[in-house]
Amino acid sequence: MAAGAPRIFVSHLADVPVFDPNGDQVGRVRDFVAMLRVGRRPPRLLGLVVEVVSRRRIFLPMTRVTGMESGQVITTGVVNMRRFEQRPTERLVLGELLDRRVRLVEDGAEVTVLDVAIQQLPARRDWEIDKVFVRKGKGGALRRKGETLTVEWSAVTGFSLEEHGQGAENLVATFERMRPADLANVLHHLTPKRRSEVAAALDDDRLADVLEELPEDDQVEILGKLKEERAADVLEAMDPDDAADLLNELPDEEKERLLTLMQPDDAADVRRLMSYEEHTAGGLMTTEPIVLRPDATVADALARVRQQDLSPALAAQVYVCRPPDETPTGKYLGTVHFQRLLREPPFTLVSAVVDNDLEPLSPGTPLHAVTSYFAAYNLVSAAVVDESGSLLGAVTVDDVLDHLLPEDWRETEFHADEEAPVHGH
């Protein structure tokens, strides 16, 4: 749904059909999954609970939803068919929030929640519950009191996270705004028991981001304490190169079991990366750079670059290739850098502005040569192309740095020493 679209009350979407891009029905909406946040901040909507034909209930992330209108939900395509399991920080909107007794902050009046409204945040892919539809009084058919009103989420109290117990809800909520690297540092210093509790409470995408920033020992420990199906989900959410590095740390039997549980396309990318030597361009690369066909326009390229889940390094350029668009692609034609895209009219074809002067890396290029290549040409990302001319992926500067720094660099403090002398004094 485009930014600025009208808000939707969830009761209007209960039981509506869910379709894939081809128009085939996947199932029906049975509930919505939200994550409460500390204070009066609106909850984040994580996804939908969808009942498929076999009556199995699965989780559909909001990142896979492209439309919610006209009595239907449209998804982007492949749907994970694993059974939905509610996590500690998650709340079912229809099952747990509706009909709940809460109070208005303004006057303390007790009200009943009749419905909640969701809306997509401007210029972002995130969704929030931003409005609450309530009825004053205790209700009942014979009572005259029953004024209804719609208020901001922050105008009611009674939904907040419970404070008792040793669950991870409050801890996770407290760290919600932290960058993955900072949250990884916090997890690293927790006890193994607490680390496991927090990992269990994080959603798959957040845990994947955090795992990518943890030392290998912590990664293996956390992954080993997850149920195998969830571990496979988290590996799917990780960047393929990071997932491959993590799987390479596991025993062969466990590695193969997790790969079998992953979605076939995701597993194929990871297997391909695992076939290369670790300290080569093939072992360093990601298989998910931005790939465009030569007849795509600058406007198409800028739309892809704007995607929120892309790292700055991957968003710095697009790779122009003949079909197929997925790696390994058809013939690699060259690269268009972000700055060049900004200087061209939107209707210009990317094939007209492609840079093909720079020889791409081969998958067997050793790390020291990759490093020299990046330094010589001032790059943040570089194409990896095989002997047939197909684009296999891209190496980004952050992955090069990961392999150049000492193995324990994640476990050391990277902030400057406050006591260090200032040059010139």
Side-chain angles (χ1 to χ4, degrees), residues 11-25:
S11 62
H12 297 169
L13 291 171
D15 200 41
V16 302
V18 179
F19 296 97
D20 66 18
N22 297 322
D24 296 324
Q25 185 168 337

Side-chain angles (χ1 to χ4, degrees), residues 7 43 57 106 147 158 162 165 199 223 229-230 234 267 296 301 410:
R7 64 180 50 88
R57 294 195 173 198
E106 183 179 13
E147 177 190 358
E162 296 179 358
L223 197 73
E229 288 196 346
R230 176 151 196 234
V234 173
R410 295 185 187 277

Side-chain angles (χ1 to χ4, degrees), residues 87-140:
R87 305 219 171 97
T89 52
E90 296 173 350
R91 295 292 181 270
L92 297 177
V93 177
L94 299 179
E96 298 180 58
L97 301 189
L98 300 198
D99 298 317
R100 186 161 177 163
R101 304 291 297 167
V102 295
R103 292 186 180 277
L104 297 177
V105 173
E106 183 179 13
D107 58 9
E110 191 175 39
V111 294
T112 302
V113 178
L114 303 180
D115 210 343
V116 298
I118 58 176
Q119 190 170 39
Q120 190 173 24
L121 299 181
R124 295 177 60 186
R125 299 173 69 185
D126 288 347
W127 290 70
E128 286 184 344
I129 297 177
D130 69 333
K131 298 283 187 181
V132 186
F133 182 52
V134 299
R135 174 183 288 127
K136 286 188 173 181
K138 295 183 179 179

Side-chain angles (χ1 to χ4, degrees), residues 12 74 101 153 205 243 258 300 333 356 393 406:
H12 297 169
I74 309 297
R101 304 291 297 167
W153 176 271
D205 290 335
L258 289 172
D300 295 328
L333 301 178
N356 54 15

Side-chain angles (χ1 to χ4, degrees), residues 8-16 29 32 68-69 72-73 118:
I8 306 170
F9 282 91
V10 295
S11 62
H12 297 169
L13 291 171
D15 200 41
V16 302
V29 175
F32 300 80
M68 290 201 300
E69 51 203 19
Q72 61 184 12
V73 173
I118 58 176

Side-chain angles (χ1 to χ4, degrees), residues 326-362:
E326 301 292 328
T327 57
T329 67
K331 182 175 177 57
Y332 168 72
L333 301 178
T335 301
V336 184
H337 299 280
F338 177 59
Q339 284 185 320
R340 182 65 187 270
L341 293 172
L342 294 177
R343 292 196 294 264
E344 299 294 335
F347 52 80
T348 304
L349 297 182
V350 292
S351 56
V353 293
V354 71
D355 177 4
N356 54 15
D357 293 337
L358 193 60
E359 191 71 21
L361 296 168
S362 68

